Amino acid sequence: MEGPTPVSALIHAATMVTAGVFLIIRCSPLFECVPGVLNLIVVVGAATAFMAATSGLLQNDLKKVIAYSTCSQLGYMIFVCGLSGYTVSLFHLSTHAFFKALLFLSAGAVIHAVTGEQDMRKFGGLARILPYTYAAFFVGSIALMGVPFLSGFYSKDLILEIAGGSPSMAGDFAYTLGLISAFFTSFYSFRLLYLAFYGPSRTARLALEHTHELSGRMAIALLLLALGSVFLGIVGRDLFVGPGTDF
C-alpha cells in the first residue's frame, strides 16, 4: 500500500488477493474432508470483511480506504469458500481484480495530479478539473459497491445469496456481517467520491496550478479496466457459475 500506485494496483488486484484465496480453492478437496475447518473459514472470512469495512470508514488517506476495501472483499472470497462456493469465490476474485486495479490507478492519477497529496480532506471539486479520472473512479466505485448490472453485483450478490441460503449458523453469521459490510462499502465509497471530487476545492493553490489530466497511455489503461469492471460480470457469469458449466 505504501509503494508506488501501479505496484499497489498489481498487489491488490492480483498477487496478494490471489495467493490465499486461490490456495484454498485449489486445495478444496482437502478442506471438504474437514467440515469443522470450513466453519472456521466462514467465521474468519466474515469477521475480516466486517473488520476491514469498519476500518475503511474512518480512513482519510485515499489509498488506505481502497486498501481496507481490498481486505474486506478478501473476507467475502474467503467465507464463501467455507460455504463450498469455490467457483463463486474465483468469480469475485476475477471481477474484483478489474475494479480494484481501476480504483488504485485512478487514485494514483489523482495523487499525481495534486502533486503527491493523499489526504482526501485536502481535495474537493476535482470532478471539474479531472473529468476523465473522475469518470474512471466513479465506475470503479459503483462496481465495488455492487450496483446492479456491473461486474461486482453479479459476484458479490451471489456470495450473499449462498450465505443467506446456507442452513448452518456459520452461514447466517456470514450473511449478516456480509450485508452490513456491503452497506459500509457503499458508505465509504460515497464518502471517498464526495471528499475527493465534489464540493468546494480544498486543494492548495500551488497544487491546483500544476493539476493536469492523464496522459493518453494511462487513459487507455483506465478505459480497459473500466470496461472489465462494467462487463466482466455479465459476460463471465455463465462461464463461472452458469447452469451446466463444468468450470
Side-chain angles (χ1 to χ4, degrees), residues 56-62 65 110 114 117-128 134 137 141 187-203:
L57 292 174
L58 305 174
Q59 302 301 316
N60 294 311
D61 186 308
L62 182 64
V65 174
V110 171
V114 294
E117 182 60 63
Q118 292 186 209
D119 192 333
M120 297 186 298
R121 295 169 296 182
K122 298 180 181 178
F123 293 162
L126 291 177
R128 298 186 299 272
Y134 162 68
F137 220 118
S141 295
F187 184 88
Y188 65 62
S189 297
F190 271 119
R191 175 176 177 265
L192 187 157
L193 285 170
Y194 179 79
L195 288 176
F197 295 102
Y198 303 135
S201 176
R202 299 177 296 278
T203 309

Side-chain angles (χ1 to χ4, degrees), residues 21 24-25 32 38 41 77-86 89:
V21 177
I24 293 176
I25 294 169
E32 287 297 317
L38 290 178
I41 290 173
M77 298 174 208
I78 293 292
F79 82 63
V80 79
C81 283
L83 297 170
S84 301
Y86 302 104
S89 179

Side-chain angles (χ1 to χ4, degrees), residues 5 11 14 21-22 32 55 57 88 90 117 124 143 148 154 189 203 205 207 241:
T5 312
I11 289 171
V21 177
F22 192 69
E32 287 297 317
S55 300
L57 292 174
V88 180
L90 192 59
E117 182 60 63
Y154 289 100
S189 297
T203 309
R205 181 176 296 178
V241 292

Side-chain angles (χ1 to χ4, degrees), residues 112-212:
H112 179 66
V114 294
T115 63
E117 182 60 63
Q118 292 186 209
D119 192 333
M120 297 186 298
R121 295 169 296 182
K122 298 180 181 178
F123 293 162
L126 291 177
R128 298 186 299 272
I129 307 167
L130 306 169
Y132 187 90
T133 303
Y134 162 68
F137 220 118
F138 184 80
V139 169
S141 295
I142 61 175
L144 169 65
M145 294 176 207
V147 169
F149 311 116
L150 275 74
S151 60
F153 164 75
Y154 289 100
S155 52
K156 187 189 285 190
D157 183 67
L158 197 51
I159 288 173
L160 291 172
E161 278 187 40
I162 289 174
S166 172
S168 66
M169 287 184 62
D172 293 338
F173 176 77
Y175 180 64
T176 303
L177 290 191
L179 276 182
I180 296 171
S181 302
F183 171 76
F184 286 165
T185 300
S186 299
F187 184 88
Y188 65 62
S189 297
F190 271 119
R191 175 176 177 265
L192 187 157
L193 285 170
Y194 179 79
L195 288 176
F197 295 102
Y198 303 135
S201 176
R202 299 177 296 278
T203 309
R205 181 176 296 178
L206 183 63
L208 281 177
E209 289 174 358
H210 296 90
T211 300
H212 58 280

